[in-house]
Amino acid sequence: MPNGNLDDHLFSKWENGNGNGMGKKPLTWPQRKSIILDVAKGLAYLHYGVKPAIYHRDIKATNILLDADMRARVADFGLAKQSREGQSHLTTRVAGTHGYLAPEYALYGQLTEKSDVYSFGVVVLEIMCGRKALDLSSRSPGAFLITDWAWSMVKAGKIEEALDASLLKDEDSSNSNPKVIMERFLLVGILCAHVMVALRPTISDALKMLEGDVEVPAIPDRPVPLGHPSFFTDGNTFSISPALSGPQLHSGDMLR
Ligand SMILES: Nc1ncnc2c1ncn2[C@@H]1O[C@H](COP(=O)(O)OP(=O)(O)OP(=O)(O)O)[C@@H](O)[C@H]1O
Ligand SMILES: [Mg+2]
């Protein structure tokens, strides 16, 4: 693919000329929007356009390739699995990439279409925030996990601060800054990457939300920020510090 992968465009250093390196410019908002919609449509095809459905299992920025027109293609079906008719989920040996794996799949090996939705949500957050899914070298307590961080920014009313700064620079004054739509995309990313399966939309519902055909529901509480230092297990129940409001989560809840 002439334009390589999404990860390079989001995270490779922007080299300042002298003929060295690829010299990638930050992706513009129209490019980011069309990449997100292309990936959502690609996944909707895998989940609903073919029978039996295909679960990709390795949706991440390096597996999204960009063609000459910067249209996105979902690539790398090395881990893809076909569902079986009438089966709600597969239980399978876990494969995939840290930072993009749905918790119920990582912990219990339970694979459904919603595992791909989770990874898609993480990619949406990377695109909208310009930050990597997971940073183990982060100086903040524990690791930096984009899902926890974006959720806490929204809950703190700092939604605009979560967006990639380059998105908010209005270089072209004739092009009004569509902040409302950017924020909607960010919220859909958070919803898709919710810890609890039942609160994640299907990819076709997520697509309708992105396109503005369906309202984005209020972002539900996230009972267990998985990267939070106060996360600990107590028998069969995950408990959390009372400072973080939210219902207690029983381990089985993640599977519903
Ligand atoms: N057809 C292609 N055109 C351009 N770049 C490609 C193409 N196929 C793969 N790549 C790039 O080649 C690199 C290696 O791909 P590879 O799939 O082996 O590793 P990965 O995507 O980082 O991890 P994973 O093995 O989990 O998919 C990646 O950066 C990928 O984006
Ligand atoms: Mg790959």
Side-chain angles (χ1 to χ4, degrees):
M1 282 283 173
N3 276 310
N5 69 55
L6 173 64
D7 192 273
D8 288 343
H9 286 268
L10 285 175
F11 306 121
S12 75
K13 284 279 165 281
W14 186 17
E15 296 184 31
N16 54 1
N18 297 349
N20 297 325
M22 298 271 289
K24 288 192 171 59
K25 287 187 185 171
L27 293 170
T28 63
W29 163 238
Q31 285 173 326
R32 293 183 204 222
K33 187 177 173 194
S34 96
I35 290 167
I36 291 172
L37 292 173
D38 285 343
V39 176
K41 287 172 193 166
L43 267 182
Y45 175 74
L46 293 178
H47 292 177
Y48 299 110
V50 290
K51 272 212 156 49
I54 294 172
Y55 307 143
H56 185 283
R57 292 207 300 166
D58 202 15
I59 296 292
K60 60 173 171 176
T62 59
N63 284 341
I64 293 165
L65 302 179
L66 299 165
D67 73 10
D69 301 320
M70 294 297 279
R71 300 300 304 260
R73 311 282 175 91
V74 176
D76 218 335
F77 286 73
L79 294 179
K81 278 217 184 293
Q82 242 174 4
S83 66
R84 272 172 236 129
E85 212 70 60
Q87 217 172 21
S88 67
H89 68 274
L90 302 172
T91 307
T92 173
R93 205 161 62 85
V94 173
T97 305
H98 294 303
Y100 294 91
L101 281 176
E104 76 285 354
Y105 176 52
L107 293 172
Y108 311 117
Q110 181 179 291
L111 178 70
T112 67
E113 60 179 287
K114 299 279 187 83
S115 334
D116 280 348
V117 172
Y118 184 94
S119 311
F120 169 74
V122 173
V123 171
V124 171
L125 294 178
E126 288 188 302
I127 294 174
M128 295 310 298
C129 306
R131 299 190 68 162
K132 273 192 177 287
L134 175 68
D135 181 3
L136 295 172
S137 65
S138 165
R139 262 177 275 137
S140 58
F144 169 87
L145 199 55
I146 201 167
T147 47
D148 284 350
W149 175 78
W151 179 87
S152 58
M153 291 296 276
V154 166
K155 285 289 169 187
K158 296 179 183 168
I159 182 162
E160 197 178 317
E161 287 165 51
L163 293 171
D164 188 335
S166 78
L167 280 176
L168 296 171
K169 280 191 217 124
D170 201 359
E171 285 159 2
D172 176 3
S173 54
S174 64
N175 178 13
S176 66
N177 211 332
K179 226 182 300 174
V180 179
I181 305 176
M182 293 178 193
E183 292 183 358
R184 187 168 80 218
F185 273 53
L186 182 75
L187 293 177
V188 174
I190 290 176
L191 206 58
C192 288
H194 197 279
V195 233
M196 287 167 74
V197 183
L199 297 178
R200 272 175 234 155
T202 61
I203 194 65
S204 52
D205 284 342
L207 186 56
K208 286 181 200 147
M209 290 174 204
L210 292 168
E211 288 176 327
D213 296 337
V214 166
E215 282 292 311
V216 183
I219 298 300
D221 275 337
R222 202 161 184 276
V224 183
L226 291 175
H228 196 278
S230 66
F231 175 89
F232 64 93
T233 56
D234 169 21
N236 208 25
T237 307
F238 295 121
S239 314
I240 190 108
S241 103
L244 294 158
S245 60
Q248 269 206 336
L249 179 71
H250 296 272
S251 54
D253 289 348
M254 272 201 275
L255 301 175
R256 286 191 274 272

